[in-house]
Amino acid sequence: SFHGVASVPSRVQPTMLFGAKASAPKKAPAFAYGLPGNFNALGGSELNWDPAGFLEGKSELEVNRYREAELTHGRVGMLASLGFLVQEKFHPLFSGDGGPAIDQIPQLPVWLWVVMGGGIAAAEAARINIAFRELDGEKLKAETALRPGYTPGDLGFDPLGFSKDLSADEFKLMQEKELAHARLAMIAAAGFLAQEAVTHATWGTVYGLPDF
């Protein structure tokens, strides 16, 4: 019996009107648009880890803004974790009583608060001026947060010349190292804060080293 013409998959490339070829599907962008930070220190391969899906559907400028925030908090975390290790016993700029840093903060003299506040404000103003776009005078909002073409974390601050004369691969490796240390430092600083808030003792005292 007649069942109709059998369908055979066409091997001819799909064409549009007048013979123009259909456009090929766009290639998906690299993870985090190729930003460093997805190196797996344990296995040595890529680790494209984004379990909460923060990067899904985000533009490159939005992803760069996330990386700028991560680097900023990570650099503060590195300073904070170092401060916890040193400042509890060594504080030559003011007559602290020693003990947990979380208890020393309210005891700081007023002049030190002013100096620290002024330094933080100056550093943030410089970072905003370099990295972020100006606000629209009418909308009071910038078109995008970061300046187009700005590399997250690149504030031009390298007084010791660590990045001087580095190749592109060497510079990317340095960026990977900074991110790895920054992420670890954020966890460490949070751990120091939690430990001192619970025990009301310095980390040295808790681990049997009261001299620290």
Side-chain angles (χ1 to χ4, degrees):
S1 62
F2 180 73
H3 295 285
V5 180
S7 61
V8 179
S10 174
R11 297 183 181 180
V12 179
Q13 293 183 352
T15 58
M16 299 176 65
L17 293 177
F18 309 109
K21 291 185 178 180
S23 58
K26 291 184 178 180
K27 185 180 179 181
F31 181 77
Y33 292 93
L35 287 174
N38 61 337
F39 178 76
N40 186 357
L42 298 178
S45 59
E46 287 188 2
L47 179 62
N48 299 331
W49 196 69
D50 182 27
F54 286 119
L55 303 182
E56 292 180 7
K58 299 297 189 299
S59 67
E60 186 172 1
L61 280 175
E62 289 175 310
V63 172
N64 286 348
R65 181 168 62 86
Y66 287 165
R67 175 52 53 82
E68 176 72 14
E70 181 183 22
L71 281 169
T72 301
H73 286 82
R75 289 165 177 173
V76 172
M78 286 189 280
L79 291 173
S81 57
L82 179 62
F84 272 105
L85 294 172
V86 176
Q87 172 263 336
E88 291 176 340
K89 292 297 181 181
F90 180 71
H91 33 68
L93 297 180
F94 61 95
S95 57
D97 296 330
I102 199 170
D103 293 333
Q104 288 189 43
I105 293 174
Q107 303 175 37
L108 296 177
V110 175
W111 69 266
L112 192 56
W113 278 106
V114 174
V115 171
M116 289 193 305
I120 293 171
E124 276 298 283
R127 185 177 73 90
I128 291 171
N129 186 54
I130 294 172
F132 290 82
R133 299 186 69 168
E134 300 85 356
L135 295 179
D136 187 311
E138 296 180 357
K139 299 179 181 178
L140 296 180
K141 185 178 180 181
E143 183 179 349
T144 57
L146 295 181
R147 296 178 185 272
Y150 168 74
T151 302
D154 185 8
L155 302 176
F157 182 76
D158 186 18
L160 299 180
F162 287 122
S163 61
K164 186 179 180 181
D165 301 326
L166 291 181
S167 66
D169 290 338
E170 291 172 331
F171 186 71
K172 186 173 182 180
L173 179 60
M174 180 172 286
Q175 290 177 305
E176 293 278 358
K177 291 179 178 179
E178 181 186 22
L179 279 165
H181 286 85
R183 290 163 178 171
L184 180 61
M186 287 189 281
I187 297 173
F192 278 125
L193 285 168
Q195 173 259 306
E196 290 195 350
V198 172
T199 64
H200 299 286
T202 65
W203 63 271
T205 302
V206 170
Y207 288 101
L209 301 171
D211 292 335
F212 285 93

